[in-house]
Structure formats: structure tokens, C-alpha cells
Amino acid sequence: MGKITASRETLKPDPRYKSILASKFINCLMQDGKKTTAQEVFYGAMDELKKRVPDDEPIDVFTQAVENVKPHVEVRSKRVGGAAYQVPMQVNRTRQQSLAIRWLLLAVREKKGRPAHLKLADELFAAYNREGTAYTRRENVHRMADANKAFSHFAW
């Protein structure tokens, strides 16, 4: 069981877009308590997205990118009679969001050699178009769940 944090109740919307999701993303992007730096990276990526997709608002592109990366099913280990089975299970909404944010940030952090806001803009744009590292990870999770459908009767 994961720890329950106070952020669900106390999270304030971000200053520019008034979005709770953006605020959560900025907090996850933040390292060593440097929130201003995380905000600069996020808003720099939003400005870059505005140049790439001039028709849509950047916050809408960001929200759609996160939606595209959210997994609907995942495999969980379940021990039955001395054997561990990979059982496909539904993912609840908060875990979907946290996994999507985590995968986007992992994809950004494993790329090297460019400014962070450009790497983040690249990954968000790719996720918006249903491609990129984070989207591939989601597809792999779905593929694993599909491959282990035979064990779904163990889900209780």
C-alpha cells in the first residue's frame, strides 16, 4: 500500500494555467526542493509546445499527452499455490495519473545532451501524437496484460 500524502487536499493550481494536473507535474518534476527551476522547465516546455502546435492551447496538449500515456490495465504478481502469476488488473485513476507522470519524466531524464525544457517538450509532443518513449512503455504494459489474460481468473 502506498503512502497517502496530503497533496490531494492541499495542492494548489499552478500560477499560469490554473491547472491541478500541471501543479502535480511540476511537483514531480522538482528535484531537491527547487520548485522555481521546475516551473521554469515546465513553462519553457509549454512555450515550445505553443510554437509546435499553434492551433491548440499548450495546457490542452499537455493534458492530452498525459491522457494518452495513462495505462488502463497492468500486471500484478499474485502467489497461488506456490507459483507466482502475472495477473492483469484494472488500474485506478490516481495510479493511472501517477504512472503517466512518472513515465513521462523517466523518458525526459534518460535523454541526454539538451536543455530540459526542450526534452520535456519533445516527449509531451510525442505523447500527444501517440508515440515516444513514455507511450511505448504504456503499450508494453498493455501487451503484457494481454499476454497474461489466461490468469485473469486469479484477480480477486
Side-chain angles (χ1 to χ4, degrees):
M1 187 74 189
K3 62 182 178 191
I4 297 173
T5 60
S7 67
R8 248 180 259 156
E9 294 85 35
T10 60
L11 195 65
K12 293 180 177 67
D14 75 300
R16 190 187 288 185
Y17 298 109
K18 309 292 185 258
S19 166
I20 296 282
L21 179 61
S23 183
K24 184 79 174 165
F25 192 85
I26 289 169
N27 285 347
C28 293
L29 177 64
M30 174 174 57
Q31 290 180 324
D32 301 328
K34 299 190 175 192
K35 190 164 193 160
T36 309
T37 306
Q39 283 177 332
E40 286 171 7
V41 169
F42 180 75
Y43 293 134
M46 291 293 110
D47 294 339
E48 189 66 30
L49 280 177
K50 183 67 179 165
K51 291 176 193 166
R52 293 183 192 190
V53 188
D55 307 339
D56 295 335
E57 283 295 314
I59 194 68
D60 296 335
V61 174
F62 166 71
T63 307
Q64 189 58 49
V66 172
E67 281 297 318
N68 288 346
V69 174
K70 282 182 181 178
H72 301 296
V73 288
E74 68 177 347
V75 290
R76 312 281 299 256
S77 284
K78 180 82 74 172
R79 275 185 69 82
V80 178
Y85 296 104
Q86 297 285 351
V87 180
M89 293 185 162
Q90 295 274 320
V91 185
N92 72 25
R93 238 179 305 122
T94 53
R95 182 160 169 80
Q96 281 182 355
Q97 181 178 310
S98 61
L99 282 174
I101 290 172
R102 188 181 313 157
W103 292 344
L104 284 165
L105 291 176
L106 273 171
V108 169
R109 287 183 181 140
E110 66 190 22
K111 292 179 182 162
K112 299 289 179 207
R114 295 179 63 215
H117 70 277
L118 293 177
K119 294 188 292 188
L120 179 58
D122 285 346
E123 194 57 43
L124 288 173
F125 186 68
Y128 177 71
N129 292 325
R130 296 181 186 273
E131 48 197 33
T133 313
Y135 189 77
T136 306
R137 185 175 291 232
R138 172 197 185 259
E139 289 300 307
N140 289 342
V141 167
H142 279 218
R143 206 172 293 119
M144 280 280 289
D146 204 39
N148 289 296
K149 224 185 253 181
F151 304 125
S152 60
H153 63 281
F154 289 127
W156 64 75

